[in-house]
Amino acid sequence: MRVVIAEDLTLLRDGLIRLLSAHGFEVVEAVDNGPMLLAALVEQAPDVAVIDVRLPPTFTDEGLRTALEARRRRPGLPVLILSQYVEQLYARELLSDRSGGIGYLLKDRIGDVAEFVESVRRVAGGGTAMDAEVISQLLTRRSRDEPLAELTTREREVLALMAEGLSNLAIAARFGVTDKAIGKHTNNIFAKLGLPPSDDHNRRVMAVLAYLQAGPASPDPS
Amino acid sequence: MPRVIRGQTGGVGRVKRGLIAAAGVPLNAVMAVALVLAWAPRIRAGIVSLQRAWAGAALGRAIPARENGPRVLAWLAINAVVGPAFLMAMTAVVNTVGIIVHLRPAVNGPSVTFTLSLALLLLSALGLVVAALMGLAEARLAELLLGSGDSLAQRVRELTASRAAAVDARAAELRRIERDLHDGAQARLIAVRLNLGLARSADDPEQARELIEEAWESAGQALTDLRDLVRGIHPPVLADRGLAGAIEAAALLCPIPVATDLVLAGRPEPPVESALYFAAVEAMTNVTKHSQATRAWVRLRHTGDGLRLVVGDDGHGGADPAAGTGLRGIAERLSAFDGTLTVRSPPGGPTILTMELPCAL
């Protein structure tokens, strides 16, 4: 599997190269700034890119913006954004083109090597890998939004794990139930969110997006 | 940042003020005569306030009133002499002009008419300038003796207070950061080293693995602590996306729905951004904690000369700036940049906080 890495701190870049190489990835290019990243993504068309959100020259969310730009040019290009902190705003922007292949994880998660590698593979396969922190921030909000308010507690839990990128089988294992039972929950979630029947993968992305996008309607007129 | 003192500037304003000053010369002479009546307090107050209004118009700035006292009497006394004297000087000039007008030269001709006209014009202009200067001198005197000088003194007091509050807040903030680091990340890193040190000298591989596992956990917690700390000092999203983006991101985290309408063409200075961002966050926290609102809204605009941030909710109102630390905190944050907080929160709601801060974009 061909991967492009963008990280400006040498220590972490070398660590990522070593880690991914050791798990069967082929690191085709490792860059340390936004413009070089864009060139690498467009020219190399890797199976997945692992990108630090903050990159030179601006040292702001250069990595995120570059990833979004690359996906505009190559729709569906799988990208996994790493960050020292997570913002729902950014999660929402990443998912907004609804084509999957998106990861957004705290850098700390690299420390959990097996799970991190699994996340990279999942994103490369067109899935999602949202950090548990994004999800937990969402859960602190009261059930403020239609139609998410209609979901039962268990359905919300299932949706949260779906957002993290877990399959029905993996979610079933978490709860100690059969994946069939989870399948029932996911179908209820799709129905309540009004997602039309399509392939299961796409609907999962849409459900997660609905979860992230659920916000207030229009501004107060006064 | 100094507060902008409004006044008419430019040539037109100066000429206008000069004419007002010149017109004040005969006025002052009349007032000097009125001194006879000034023993009646009400007439004296009338004279003084008229004088103050004129001096303010001539100088192009407001002159705050001062308490009746020896300075007012001093002004009455000085004006009794200076007022008529200046008027006499002015009359002398006008008389000279009159003499020239009535001059009947022995030899008449175009060149003589021209010379006389020129002299007349110059003399009139000179008279006007002198009158204006005399008027301005009188106005300045009136400002000194009749004005309280309060605007400046008041401003110094305000600045001293806001600076002290800013310094206090900074010191408290630094203490909090120090404590958080000490009890958080620092302590956890000590634990990491301790566990790794034990693991290095452990004989039992199983025990070593457990110790490494613990160290791994502690390192993760240290990262979480640091992340929370950084967010509290300067949220990265504020640097990334500016004020509008950061407030949008904070609104997403608010437990109740917050409608946002944020329009800002440029980036204010980072300290201003930071002050308004934390003020907005504090305002949203207040809504969540106290208002029992079901929805809130935030609006950000750059008006002619500053930023205006309005946070409203549909809660039960009755927010009292004196009661809690939240609103006072917002006001203090803003005051460091000459900003103000206006609270409108009648019992029964709604509550609307308006934060304004002078700022050029």
Side-chain angles (χ1 to χ4, degrees):
Chain A
M1 204 172 270
R2 301 170 69 250
V3 56
V4 163
I5 292 172
E7 165 65 65
D8 59 319
L9 298 174
T10 317
L11 194 67
L12 286 179
R13 189 172 60 243
D14 291 350
L16 276 171
I17 295 171
R18 201 172 330 130
L19 191 156
L20 291 174
S21 302
H23 287 81
F25 290 88
E26 182 200 344
V27 178
V28 290
E29 206 164 334
V31 299
D32 64 359
N33 66 71
M36 278 175 76
L37 171 64
L38 187 62
L41 291 179
V42 173
E43 284 161 22
Q44 300 279 0
D47 296 316
V48 62
V50 177
I51 300 167
D52 180 11
V53 72
R54 182 174 292 194
L55 286 177
T58 60
F59 288 103
T60 61
D61 55 344
E62 182 97 16
L64 174 75
R65 289 168 193 262
T66 307
L68 291 174
E69 174 59 27
R71 275 170 70 88
R72 263 191 291 278
R73 300 197 196 174
R74 285 187 174 274
L77 179 80
V79 295
L80 194 159
I81 302 288
L82 292 175
S83 176
Q84 302 265 30
Y85 61 96
V86 292
E87 284 292 346
Q88 283 188 58
L89 192 67
Y90 295 173
R92 206 166 73 171
E93 289 175 5
L94 280 165
L95 287 168
S96 62
D97 65 10
R98 293 161 193 249
S99 51
I102 287 292
Y104 185 34
L105 295 178
L106 279 174
K107 270 192 184 170
D108 317 11
R109 312 294 179 210
I110 307 173
D112 203 333
V113 178
E115 205 166 305
F116 175 67
V117 169
E118 171 53 30
S119 298
V120 179
R121 291 226 167 86
R122 201 161 57 225
V123 170
T128 49
M130 279 295 127
D131 199 279
E133 178 100 357
V134 177
I135 313 302
S136 71
Q137 282 180 1
L138 283 165
L139 289 174
T140 61
R141 305 198 299 205
R142 277 179 234 142
S143 52
R144 67 188 216 183
D145 323 293
E146 308 288 336
L148 286 186
E150 289 173 25
L151 300 184
T152 64
T153 313
R154 175 48 65 95
E155 282 163 1
R156 288 170 72 88
E157 286 168 2
V158 170
L159 180 56
L161 291 174
M162 261 168 61
E164 279 186 47
L166 267 57
S167 65
N168 283 3
L169 206 64
I171 297 172
R174 286 271 177 106
F175 290 136
V177 296
T178 62
D179 63 325
K180 221 167 160 189
I182 299 300
K184 218 187 252 167
H185 284 311
T186 53
N187 280 334
N188 282 343
I189 294 168
F190 294 151
K192 285 182 181 174
L193 297 183
L195 299 177
S198 64
D199 65 296
D200 183 61
H201 162 71
N202 194 32
R203 281 207 292 181
R204 290 175 92 84
V205 174
M206 302 277 277
V208 171
L209 190 60
Y211 196 15
L212 287 168
Q213 267 187 336
S218 56
D220 189 289
S222 66
Chain B
M1 194 190 293
R3 179 177 293 179
V4 177
I5 297 170
R6 280 172 212 288
Q8 266 188 318
T9 52
V12 178
R14 220 167 284 149
V15 169
K16 192 173 151 198
R17 289 206 305 273
L19 289 175
I20 293 172
V25 174
L27 173 82
N28 277 339
V30 172
M31 279 202 231
V33 176
L35 182 64
V36 190
L37 304 169
W39 300 115
R42 212 186 264 164
I43 292 172
R44 188 170 60 219
I47 292 174
V48 164
S49 81
L50 180 64
Q51 175 71 203
R52 207 184 283 123
W54 164 75
L59 294 171
R61 52 181 177 251
I63 298 175
R66 74 174 291 119
E67 292 293 305
N68 211 349
R71 283 195 188 203
V72 173
L73 295 177
W75 175 80
L76 285 169
I78 293 173
N79 195 51
V81 180
V82 173
F86 277 9
L87 185 63
M88 275 158 72
M90 223 167 118
T91 313
V93 174
V94 174
N95 276 344
T96 316
V97 172
I99 289 168
I100 294 179
V101 168
H102 292 104
L103 216 57
R104 292 179 196 285
V107 188
N108 223 336
S111 66
V112 173
T113 310
F114 175 77
T115 311
L116 283 179
S117 303
L118 195 67
L120 208 64
L121 218 64
L122 281 175
L123 211 60
S124 304
L126 185 72
L128 210 59
V129 169
V130 170
L133 287 177
M134 290 190 300
L136 282 175
E138 283 178 325
R140 188 82 188 89
L141 185 73
E143 186 189 31
L144 275 178
L145 293 177
L146 301 180
S148 67
D150 232 16
S151 56
L152 201 57
Q154 180 72 26
R155 184 84 190 112
V156 168
R157 272 198 295 278
E158 275 172 19
L159 282 179
T160 310
S162 75
R163 192 181 60 174
V167 170
D168 274 358
R170 247 184 117 84
E173 188 75 355
L174 282 176
R175 273 199 302 280
R176 182 185 67 81
I177 292 167
E178 188 275 333
R179 208 170 45 234
D180 283 2
L181 278 174
H182 181 269
D183 299 346
Q186 232 171 355
R188 298 203 194 282
L189 286 175
I190 292 169
V192 170
R193 247 176 101 85
L194 184 69
N195 281 327
L196 288 177
L198 287 171
R200 189 162 60 177
S201 56
D203 299 325
D204 177 7
E206 187 49 40
Q207 193 196 5
R209 182 187 296 276
E210 263 175 40
L211 288 164
I212 290 173
E213 186 65 32
E214 269 180 45
W216 187 86
E217 279 291 333
S218 297
Q221 282 161 359
L223 281 172
T224 307
D225 288 349
L226 285 174
R227 199 161 45 235
D228 292 345
L229 190 64
V230 167
R231 205 184 276 277
I233 299 170
H234 189 77
V237 68
L238 185 56
D240 291 355
R241 295 295 174 89
L243 195 52
I247 293 177
E248 175 88 50
L252 279 175
L253 294 181
C254 196
I256 62 163
V258 181
T260 51
D261 175 16
L262 314 164
V263 181
L264 203 56
R267 293 281 298 258
E269 292 294 308
V272 170
E273 271 191 344
S274 184
L276 265 184
Y277 169 78
F278 281 109
V281 170
E282 185 69 50
M284 285 190 267
T285 309
N286 266 349
V287 171
T288 317
K289 273 207 255 178
H290 306 302
S291 74
Q292 287 175 0
T294 57
R295 43 180 291 137
W297 51 271
V298 184
R299 182 181 305 247
L300 176 68
R301 288 283 186 282
H302 187 257
T303 58
D305 41 21
L307 293 167
R308 172 198 277 260
L309 178 73
V310 186
V311 180
D313 68 61
D314 65 352
H316 56 47
D320 179 6
T325 54
L327 289 175
R328 206 167 54 232
I330 294 176
E332 273 171 17
R333 265 184 206 286
L334 297 176
S335 75
F337 299 92
D338 260 3
T340 55
L341 167 72
T342 314
V343 181
R344 212 174 69 203
S345 182
T351 297
I352 294 171
L353 305 186
T354 306
M355 293 159 249
E356 286 172 305
L357 204 155
C359 165
L361 277 190

